[in-house]
Amino acid sequence: MTSHRTDGLSRRALLMSSAGLAATASLMPVRLMAQEPISVAGIYTVPVEQQWAGRIHEAAVAAAEEGLITYTYSENTANTDYPRVMREYAEQGVQLILGEIFGVEQEAREVVLDYPDTAFLMGSSFMPDPEYSNLAVFDNYIQDASYLSGIIAGAMSETGNIGMVGGFPIPEVNRLMHAFMAGVREVKPEAEFQVSFIGSWFDPPKAKETAFAMIENGADMLYAERFGVSDAAQEKGVLAIGNVIDTQADYPDTVVASALWDFGPTLAAAIEAINAGNFEAANYGLYSFMKEGGASLAPLGSFDGKIPQDALDLVAEKEAAIKAGEFEVEIDDSEPTSS
């Protein structure tokens, strides 16, 4: 079932304008009248409270509240319905369509070719292709923050036995897990990892049961790539590291740190490009990097003062180097395995 919602119909007299992305020969004719906000539609295969979709949704809502865009969205859209919903929004004249085409890569591109005057900014496992000049791609490249959260996890784990529960072993998940594991090994080279994928983007009960099994097998720290993992950690009295969003308020004695994704810089870049009339096939994943403001560590909150100072010093050192471009966290898209 697909549900449709509309948010942020406010307008302001003058929209942002900037040079945006560099113009090239493959410019598409997406241009905006100065007094009108850009019309944006989001298409999500999961509820908007889910981590990944939720960050896109929050950024769009914020942009609508600023008067930069008008925003409508569809959630719980099945992959089989996805191309149809894309066409519906394009037919309505929506200027920018946001979403996730991981499960419908080829079908989505067929839609893109049929609507050359519509800008599409989609989460994808593939790089931009000039053949689809109005399709820009992105992903949550928050490996920088995941690496830093791993340093904290390694310092807080007493046994060095760490459980990791993911949705699917696709590049978008794999790279964050590998970065986290690399961070752990900075302070606990001997750490061992239990890695499992539940085959779903939103199945908290299954994620919880998988986490329970890892705790039974000795894990005292869990990497909560999916909802449900922190519930298991809380019930069993072990610690967890969050992903994409900050859930410490819900698990104040459990979630030590979280690697956060901010979709705001990505959306801002797209808005600027459309305003400048030069939206094109480009890799917007770069705006998720920490040095671009797209990734960060959540505040320590209830764990302030509980994390070893040498670990915090290492986090601060590595974060400064990342932001200065002096240190790069490796992007490893291969499937991680248990130790």
Side-chain angles (χ1 to χ4, degrees):
M1 179 180 179
T2 301
S3 51
H4 300 272
R5 302 281 292 275
T6 302
D7 290 70
L9 297 179
S10 60
R11 302 180 183 274
R12 76 178 188 183
L14 184 62
L15 289 175
M16 293 191 313
S17 62
S18 77
L21 299 175
T24 71
S26 60
L27 300 181
M28 63 167 285
V30 178
R31 195 172 290 275
L32 190 67
M33 292 183 63
Q35 284 79 19
E36 293 296 322
I38 297 168
S39 57
V40 176
I43 311 174
Y44 311 111
T45 61
V46 292
V48 291
E49 64 261 32
Q50 188 259 13
Q51 302 107 299
W52 196 88
R55 298 305 280 173
I56 302 170
H57 176 70
E58 288 175 15
V61 168
E65 290 175 348
E66 290 183 46
L68 301 175
I69 67 173
T70 61
Y71 174 56
T72 185
Y73 66 97
S74 299
E75 57 185 344
N76 296 314
T77 303
N79 282 332
T80 51
D81 288 335
Y82 209 95
R84 175 184 59 79
V85 179
M86 289 175 66
R87 290 183 183 279
E88 288 180 356
Y89 281 130
E91 290 288 345
Q92 293 169 18
V94 170
Q95 293 163 286
L96 173 63
I97 298 178
L98 304 172
E100 38 172 313
I101 57 174
F102 301 108
V104 289
E105 294 279 2
Q106 187 52 48
E107 297 91 333
R109 283 169 173 74
E110 292 171 4
V111 175
V112 165
L113 288 177
D114 289 341
Y115 298 95
D117 293 339
T118 304
F120 294 86
L121 178 59
M122 296 297 204
S124 171
S125 296
F126 296 91
M127 287 293 102
D129 184 343
E131 182 180 348
Y132 307 93
S133 61
N134 55 325
L135 171 62
V137 298
F138 69 89
D139 211 342
N140 61 329
Y141 283 89
I142 60 169
Q143 66 280 345
D144 300 326
S146 296
Y147 168 80
L148 298 179
S149 73
I151 293 175
I152 293 173
M156 294 296 284
S157 172
E158 295 182 1
T159 67
N161 186 330
I162 297 176
M164 305 181 68
V165 182
F168 293 92
I170 64 172
E172 293 69 28
V173 174
N174 298 344
R175 71 175 67 108
L176 305 187
M177 285 188 161
H178 278 297
F180 172 81
M181 295 162 81
V184 170
R185 293 188 180 112
E186 289 281 7
V187 293
K188 258 192 181 57
E190 74 284 1
E192 296 185 350
F193 300 92
Q194 302 178 57
V195 180
S196 184
F197 298 92
I198 63 172
S200 172
W201 292 130
F202 195 74
D203 191 344
K206 188 171 184 179
K208 184 177 180 180
E209 288 302 316
T210 302
F212 276 147
M214 292 178 173
I215 295 169
E216 287 293 317
N217 200 33
D220 71 343
M221 171 70 72
L222 298 175
Y223 176 73
E225 199 272 328
R226 292 293 102 192
F227 278 156
V229 176
S230 295
D231 293 293
Q234 181 174 252
E235 288 187 26
K236 296 297 184 178
V238 303
L239 300 176
I241 296 292
N243 180 59
V244 176
I245 62 175
D246 185 3
T247 58
Q248 192 184 79
D250 297 320
Y251 309 96
D253 300 318
T254 302
V255 175
V256 182
S258 297
L260 305 184
W261 181 35
D262 184 354
F263 188 72
T266 305
L267 181 56
I271 292 172
E272 290 177 4
I274 291 173
N275 285 341
N278 62 3
F279 186 92
E280 61 178 343
N283 177 20
Y284 279 71
L286 300 177
Y287 294 101
S288 291
F289 281 47
M290 180 171 281
K291 63 184 179 181
E292 299 294 340
S296 64
L297 272 182
L300 296 177
S302 56
F303 280 86
D304 189 20
K306 300 178 182 179
I307 299 169
Q309 188 59 46
D310 57 349
L312 294 179
D313 291 343
L314 182 58
V315 167
E317 174 191 331
K318 295 293 188 180
E319 182 175 357
I322 290 169
K323 289 181 176 179
E326 298 168 354
F327 175 72
E328 292 185 4
V329 176
E330 181 183 3
I331 297 176
D332 185 348
D333 289 347
S334 65
E335 181 175 345
T337 58
S338 298
S339 302

